[in-house]
Amino acid sequence: MTTHLLFLLLLLPSLLFHFLVATVTANGQWQLLQKSIGIVAMHMQLMHNDRVVIYDRTDFGLSNLTLPDGRCRHDPNERIVKIDCTAHSVEYDVASNTFRALFVQTDVWCSSGSAVADGTLIQTGGFNDGERTVRTFNPCPNCDWQEINNSLAVKRWYSTNHILPDGRQIIIGGRRQFNYEFYPKTSTADKAYALPFLIQTYDKEAENNLYPFVFLNVDGNLFIFANNRAILFNYKNNSVVRTYPAIPGGDPRCYPSTGSAVLLPLRNLQAQNVEAEVLICGGAPRGAFEVVRKGVLFKALNTCARIKITDPNPNWIVETMRKGRVMNDMVMLPNGDVLLINGAGLGTAGWENAMDPVLEPFVYKTNGPVGSRFELQNSSTKIPRMYHSTAVLLRDGRVLVGGSNPHERYRFSKVMFPTELSLEAFSPNYLDPKFSPLRPIILEPASQTHLMYAQKFNMRIQVNGQFVPDSVLVTMLAPPFNTHSFSMNQRLLVLSTGKPNGTGNSTYEFEVTTPGSSILAPPAFYLLFAVHQEIPSEGIWIKIQ
């Protein structure tokens, strides 16, 4: 009897914190936007002019998009082709569904980046001649990449960037880099600072700590997750504030055992203590990367783990997905839910390392009851999105999907998953026309409005169907830099609002308050949405600084 009681007590934590999940279904829709943009969408960033900057790598050989005006890239040290007159970056115009070629000189493969306060994309690192280069892209009609060589303290390849409250970027980790640095530099003495946590989370052969998941916490410190565990890090004095429990099961979630992660919506921003939660989904079991060379493909992890990182005694709550996913992307939606899209059911990230593409997205209902949070979007793409796939939210609520390059170089035949140059858009269930009467239209403020912290402003919306005042939310989303299944700087805030007042003609006005500090919302351009009965409006651009 005592033995049985002891067994039940030992089992109790897993009974409390691990939930099998019932999956409901809803309709989503796929649309092929471009059969080919000429390059692989390995990296993507939505800019505040509704254009998306996309790039792959320069050491791949010739792409399928010729550079304009006879321009060519000359690199005598290049292995594949020393004179390359094709593009390896494009700017995609969402409104017109067109694209134009951009020019990059140094190799941007497996790099990182962030859009900073003035809207410029700052991209850092890459491979070979690009590993210490910083590149900037200003969103204007005819702008192109500008490159600043030797601007980083060390080589950065597979690193993670995050915007800080003062507007700088912190750049963390990378292959054989157990350190971090800042950009821009405040002095010539700026250097790389050791981060022993990255050594502690390094696995021989597999690594499993590349592209670490990094989020700015509400106390100004950084939540850093690598491999299977996390710390809260004070980057100002280079100290670990706290160590979190390892994720249950102990399996890695970072590259190449690639899962994905999001900071869940920040709410109650006027509260004295704002809470923050992180959700991590998918990945590959420990050892999967090592055995794939022997032709063995492990099943992808089918669990999500959620933790309240501001809790004094945090614990992971584990939920089971309908199907395992590795190399999945997690896209924060305007209504606070999370879209899981792309990836495979077998294997790991890397060349020829995965099979069984997962073609159906599903939505994680952030505020749903535990055990009922997954909603299958009952629509499949016909295009596998494997290694080097991407996904970003657009202002109209669709999700732009591209990429897939699961083998070295541009290979379009005699392979199981050819190099993929197409772009698709996925429309989540909330864009179903049947919800049009419930969909808010933002009438005020105007797009591109500049706001201050803790500022109150008037919002006016139109809802043509039955209006439910208590269901109205206003959300503010930082568009992320997406690559290798992680969206850097992705951040959604639920703003404080007053009671809506009807003003006639199906319009309603109410007061909205912006976040109180740059710790909650680093200075940047954000997408502002009105949400009614979980149906989001089309977004507008605002700048907060």
Side-chain angles (χ1 to χ4, degrees):
M1 180 69 178
T2 305
T3 303
H4 289 166
L5 179 60
L6 178 60
F7 175 76
L8 288 173
L9 288 172
L10 290 172
L11 188 62
L12 186 59
S14 63
L15 293 176
L16 286 173
F17 298 116
H18 193 109
F19 298 90
L20 292 173
V21 175
T23 304
V24 296
T25 60
N27 291 321
Q29 186 174 2
W30 288 92
Q31 177 188 9
L32 180 64
L33 300 174
Q34 291 285 347
K35 186 175 181 180
S36 172
I37 58 170
I39 70 166
V40 182
M42 290 185 187
H43 316 72
M44 289 205 291
Q45 170 76 54
L46 174 66
M47 311 296 283
H48 70 272
N49 60 355
D50 289 323
R51 299 184 181 190
V52 182
V53 175
I54 302 171
Y55 59 89
D56 54 15
R57 54 186 289 189
T58 60
D59 63 345
F60 242 28
L62 303 179
S63 78
N64 280 18
L65 180 63
T66 302
L67 286 165
D69 305 321
R71 194 172 186 186
C72 297
R73 175 178 170 270
H74 297 263
D75 187 347
N77 297 316
E78 186 57 76
R79 292 180 304 142
I80 308 301
V81 56
K82 300 184 185 304
I83 301 177
D84 185 354
C85 302
T86 64
H88 296 280
S89 179
V90 302
E91 181 189 55
Y92 173 73
D93 187 326
V94 176
S96 64
N97 188 27
T98 58
F99 57 93
R100 68 182 180 98
L102 302 175
F103 180 88
V104 284
Q105 175 63 36
T106 54
D107 199 351
V108 289
W109 180 35
C110 299
S111 56
S112 51
S114 303
V116 296
D118 68 356
T120 301
L121 173 58
I122 307 291
Q123 184 274 332
T124 55
F127 186 57
N128 282 345
D129 61 352
E131 57 200 1
R132 289 187 58 203
T133 300
V134 171
R135 302 164 197 85
T136 65
F137 184 86
N138 183 35
C140 73
N142 298 306
C143 286
D144 211 332
W145 287 102
Q146 304 296 314
E147 305 198 20
I148 314 166
N149 294 324
N150 299 317
S151 293
L152 300 176
V154 298
K155 301 173 181 179
R156 296 289 174 194
W157 193 31
Y158 297 92
S159 301
T160 296
N161 293 23
H162 204 294
I163 294 291
L164 300 174
D166 63 5
R168 291 182 300 162
Q169 293 189 55
I170 188 169
I171 309 164
I172 299 175
R175 180 152 285 167
R176 294 179 289 277
Q177 296 297 343
F178 310 107
N179 52 57
Y180 64 95
E181 64 180 287
F182 301 97
Y183 189 86
K185 309 299 184 190
T186 55
S187 73
T188 54
D190 255 2
K191 59 178 184 178
Y193 301 87
L195 184 54
F197 174 68
L198 295 177
I199 298 176
Q200 297 159 12
T201 53
Y202 175 84
D203 288 346
K204 187 178 180 182
E205 293 186 41
E207 297 176 281
N208 282 328
N209 66 349
L210 300 178
Y211 282 124
F213 306 146
V214 180
F215 302 106
L216 177 65
N217 192 19
V218 295
D219 62 0
N221 295 309
L222 293 173
F223 176 88
I224 305 175
F225 182 98
N227 199 315
N228 63 359
R229 51 198 185 274
I231 58 172
L232 190 63
F233 184 67
N234 185 329
Y235 62 87
K236 294 181 179 178
N237 62 20
N238 192 23
S239 65
V240 175
V241 177
R242 69 190 301 185
T243 300
Y244 293 93
I247 202 165
D251 287 312
R253 306 285 180 145
C254 294
Y255 183 92
S257 299
T258 303
S260 190
V262 292
L263 178 71
L264 292 176
L266 299 178
R267 303 173 184 271
N268 303 316
L269 303 182
Q270 309 300 314
Q272 184 174 356
N273 296 305
V274 178
E275 296 182 340
E277 290 184 275
V278 168
L279 177 70
I280 298 174
C281 292
R286 186 166 301 284
F289 184 77
E290 291 89 334
V291 301
V292 75
R293 294 180 178 85
K294 302 175 184 178
V296 178
L297 298 177
F298 284 179
K299 285 187 177 180
L301 298 175
N302 66 347
T303 54
C304 291
R306 178 169 172 168
I307 188 169
K308 188 177 293 183
I309 64 175
T310 49
D311 196 87
N313 298 294
N315 284 297
W316 295 94
I317 294 176
V318 179
E319 299 170 85
T320 302
M321 298 186 288
R322 178 175 178 269
K323 179 180 176 66
R325 284 184 114 112
V326 62
M327 299 179 291
N328 51 284
D329 283 285
M330 296 174 71
V331 180
M332 185 62 66
L333 300 177
N335 61 6
D337 292 337
V338 182
L339 178 72
L340 285 91
I341 197 166
N342 298 341
L346 295 171
T348 73
W351 306 125
E352 313 288 355
N353 285 356
M355 293 180 65
D356 185 25
V358 183
L359 304 176
E360 291 179 322
F362 52 81
V363 167
Y364 179 87
K365 307 291 285 187
T366 302
N367 294 324
V370 178
S372 303
R373 288 179 172 154
F374 294 98
E375 179 185 87
L376 179 65
Q377 300 290 285
N378 198 19
S379 178
S380 299
T381 178
K382 294 180 173 60
I383 303 173
R385 300 290 180 180
M386 309 290 275
Y387 186 42
H388 286 148
S389 297
T390 46
V392 296
L393 182 77
L394 300 176
R395 186 170 60 85
D396 59 14
R398 295 178 301 160
V399 175
L400 183 67
V401 178
S404 191
N405 177 239
H407 36 259
E408 196 170 6
R409 306 186 192 177
Y410 298 103
R411 295 180 64 189
F412 304 104
S413 61
K414 298 182 180 179
V415 287
M416 185 172 296
F417 303 109
T419 296
E420 187 57 59
L421 306 182
S422 68
L423 282 184
E424 293 176 286
F426 177 73
S427 296
N429 183 51
Y430 57 60
L431 290 175
D432 191 308
K434 70 183 180 183
F435 295 123
S436 295
L438 304 179
R439 194 178 321 284
I441 300 169
I442 297 177
L443 304 176
E444 185 185 348
S447 194
Q448 305 294 336
T449 293
H450 289 205
L451 298 169
M452 304 291 290
Y453 291 104
Q455 179 179 338
K456 297 182 185 298
F457 66 94
N458 188 61
M459 175 170 270
R460 187 162 57 96
I461 63 173
Q462 179 178 331
V463 176
N464 293 319
Q466 184 177 2
F467 183 67
V468 180
D470 292 342
S471 74
V472 174
L473 297 175
V474 176
T475 60
M476 191 175 95
L477 175 73
F481 177 93
N482 175 256
T483 189
H484 288 75
S485 302
F486 184 54
S487 288
M488 304 174 196
N489 298 292
Q490 186 168 231
R491 192 177 195 85
L492 184 99
L493 302 98
V494 180
L495 304 188
S496 300
T497 59
K499 182 179 179 181
N501 297 309
T503 57
N505 297 321
S506 300
T507 63
Y508 306 87
E509 288 186 352
F510 49 93
E511 187 177 77
V512 182
T513 305
T514 61
S517 75
S518 59
I519 291 176
L520 292 175
F525 281 89
Y526 288 78
L527 284 170
L528 188 74
F529 297 92
V531 181
H532 174 243
Q533 297 189 55
E534 299 190 11
I535 307 301
S537 68
E538 187 171 284
I540 64 169
W541 288 102
I542 62 168
K543 182 181 181 182
I544 187 165
Q545 197 168 10

